[in-house]
Amino acid sequence: ELKIMKPGGAKFIDKVKNCVYNGDLLLLEDINEEIDPGLNSVIQKALKKEGGMSIINIGGVDVDYNESFKFYVTTKL
């Protein structure tokens, strides 16, 4: 399922965590030159293995990483 978001909305990072966990397609649209620092690990795909599962830290919270998750970004710049 495609989820479309704009940066900085209410509970933005929580919504991103849910997309990562559920393996959704996430489109982040109309970003500016700077992206929320909480998304750095998602952009870098900074995964670690724990007990045979892939984990990613988003906004200081470890989230199970679903391999079906895809992340797209658009900008007007």
Side-chain angles (χ1 to χ4, degrees):
E1 182 178 340
L2 176 64
K3 306 284 185 177
I4 301 172
M5 294 184 213
K6 295 187 186 232
K11 298 187 179 185
F12 170 69
I13 292 293
D14 290 337
K15 291 177 183 178
V16 171
K17 290 176 198 173
N18 286 332
C19 288
V20 170
Y21 180 80
N22 293 322
D24 295 328
L25 302 174
L26 173 59
L27 172 62
L28 182 60
E29 60 182 9
D30 298 335
I31 63 161
N32 294 318
E33 291 182 25
E34 294 184 24
I35 295 178
D36 187 317
L39 294 179
N40 286 342
S41 60
V42 176
I43 293 167
Q44 297 170 359
K45 200 173 180 182
L47 301 175
K48 60 184 176 181
K49 293 283 187 181
E50 278 186 18
M53 297 184 66
S54 295
I55 306 291
I56 191 166
N57 188 290
I58 303 172
V61 176
D62 286 344
V63 177
D64 291 343
Y65 184 84
N66 187 319
E67 294 294 331
S68 297
F69 173 72
K70 302 290 184 221
F71 185 57
Y72 301 95
V73 178
T74 63
T75 181
K76 293 181 181 180
L77 301 177

